[in-house]
Amino acid sequence: MTLSTCDEIIELIPAFVLGALDADEAARVATHVAACPRCRAEAESFRDVVGLLPYAAGALEPPPHVKRQLFARIAAVSENPVAPAAQRPQRSTVRPPVSGGWVVPALTLMLALIIGFGAAMLEARGRADQLAAELAANRQTLRSMEAQIAELRQTAQAVEAQLIAAQRELEETRTQLVASQRELQEMQASGGKDEQLVSFIAAPQTVSRPLGTTERAPEQASARMFMQPGHNRLVLLIYGLKSAEPGKVYRLWLAKGDQAIAIGTVTVGPDGVAEFVVDAPEPMDAYDQVMITLDEVDTAARPSEEVIFEANL
Ligand SMILES: [Zn+2]
């Protein structure tokens, strides 16, 4: 291939690389470039430069006809590289008689402007992208902090609910404990009472005496008293007695001569059993008679006619 062909092709390479040639010319350049290492190197170096352009392509891509005109003009000028400078002012010529010496700097300047503008665009876009990325990161951080706060708030609510539940449980436990203690005290007290009762009854100096029943006593009713000579204590064990009807009470009386003293009331359990322990005002030897009557609750001045048990001492 001849040198002139190469020169011709090299003139077309910028337009070729920018895609501004018509199909025939583009095919010619492509065929030549495929076969010619020198022109291929030229085309590739242009392509490297033009490769930077896509960043500005959106803003700077000229319409195809402008491109065509521009490169046609460049090509026309290149065809007359030896045109004399004196012909330049002639406006009648179709092709501007611009020297080839002008063309290459013009093209270079244009490319430099394109590249410069592209670089500026690239830089601005890079900065915008960076800011957008920072904004997105900040937004994400904010969102994650909001999520954490919501989670903490939820945790705090759960802890508070647990605390309230725990306090309630504690109060219930405390109430149960108080009830248990009371029950225990009652059991100890009754246990102590029973023990006292048993040891009194079992004592060798204790004398036991049955009480007689009247016709008012239930058929199976029986009562027995325990006392010690010279001592005030009196223990009564009663069986087979019904609970007193409402408003009435079984009352124990001790009589001395014609004077009867109300000693206390006897409570009958649901099993018909009553245990009664009392310390009389005087030693039991001082009394002549013991009596249990069914009285009105509020009449403790004298025994009623309803005598259930009685015994002379
Ligand atoms: Zn060539």
Side-chain angles (χ1 to χ4, degrees):
M1 85 198 37
T2 64
L3 186 67
S4 66
T5 310
C6 279
D7 285 345
E8 198 183 333
I9 292 299
I10 282 170
E11 298 287 350
L12 291 173
I13 277 173
F16 171 69
V17 168
L18 287 168
L21 295 179
D22 60 38
D24 290 348
E25 272 182 320
R28 196 153 65 87
V29 173
T31 308
H32 180 89
V33 160
C36 173
R38 187 186 148 209
C39 290
R40 190 162 56 245
E42 188 72 13
E44 275 165 10
S45 75
F46 255 97
R47 206 168 270 142
D48 287 344
V49 171
V50 172
L52 293 171
L53 295 183
Y55 298 112
L60 292 177
E61 181 76 41
H65 72 278
V66 174
K67 257 205 272 188
R68 259 197 309 279
Q69 282 171 3
L70 175 65
F71 286 102
R73 193 184 275 185
I74 291 165
V77 168
S78 317
E79 277 167 19
N80 303 302
V82 291
Q87 284 179 8
R88 236 180 270 170
Q90 290 178 5
R91 291 172 191 273
S92 59
T93 50
V94 175
R95 288 166 183 166
V98 184
S99 76
W102 182 85
V103 170
V104 174
L107 185 62
T108 309
L109 179 65
M110 187 191 75
L111 285 173
L113 281 172
I114 289 169
I115 292 162
F117 188 65
M121 284 285 289
L122 182 65
E123 200 187 337
R125 191 170 294 181
R127 207 175 297 144
D129 286 350
Q130 196 184 340
L131 286 173
E134 281 172 16
L135 188 65
N138 286 340
R139 211 170 271 165
Q140 204 167 356
T141 305
L142 186 67
R143 217 168 284 146
S144 102
M145 281 173 72
E146 279 172 352
Q148 281 175 2
I149 288 167
E151 204 176 319
L152 284 173
R153 208 169 274 163
Q154 211 166 351
T155 306
Q157 280 173 349
V159 167
E160 201 182 335
Q162 281 176 357
L163 191 66
I164 289 169
Q167 277 174 336
R168 195 171 300 148
E169 206 175 332
L170 185 66
E171 271 165 38
E172 279 172 19
T173 305
R174 198 172 285 156
T175 307
Q176 282 176 358
L177 185 67
V178 168
S180 300
Q181 279 175 334
R182 193 173 303 142
E183 205 177 332
L184 184 66
Q185 282 170 350
E186 280 169 14
M187 277 174 66
Q188 282 172 338
S190 76
K193 207 172 75 183
D194 287 349
E195 208 173 310
Q196 240 179 343
L197 194 73
V198 169
S199 68
F200 182 84
I201 290 169
Q205 67 272 33
T206 299
V207 290
S208 159
R209 182 170 300 180
L211 273 74
T213 55
T214 68
E215 68 277 9
R216 297 181 192 277
E219 210 176 314
Q220 315 88 339
S222 68
R224 181 168 282 273
M225 58 186 291
F226 302 84
M227 52 198 174
Q228 292 175 357
H231 283 83
N232 300 36
R233 177 151 299 185
L234 170 65
V235 173
L236 270 170
L237 294 180
I238 301 167
Y239 302 96
L241 201 59
K242 284 177 197 156
S243 296
E245 54 212 81
K248 295 210 165 184
V249 73
Y250 293 107
R251 187 169 279 128
L252 174 71
W253 300 87
L254 288 174
K256 194 164 103 181
D258 53 358
Q259 206 179 8
I261 313 154
I263 299 297
T265 59
V266 179
T267 305
V268 180
D271 51 359
V273 176
E275 292 167 2
F276 188 75
V277 181
V278 72
D279 285 323
E282 291 178 63
M284 284 306 294
D285 317 64
Y287 302 101
D288 306 321
Q289 203 185 14
V290 64
M291 204 165 44
I292 292 173
T293 55
L294 187 60
D295 291 356
E296 298 292 331
V297 172
D298 49 359
T299 58
R302 59 175 59 214
S304 73
E305 300 296 311
E306 280 197 73
V307 179
I308 310 295
F309 301 105
E310 57 183 346
N312 291 317
L313 297 175

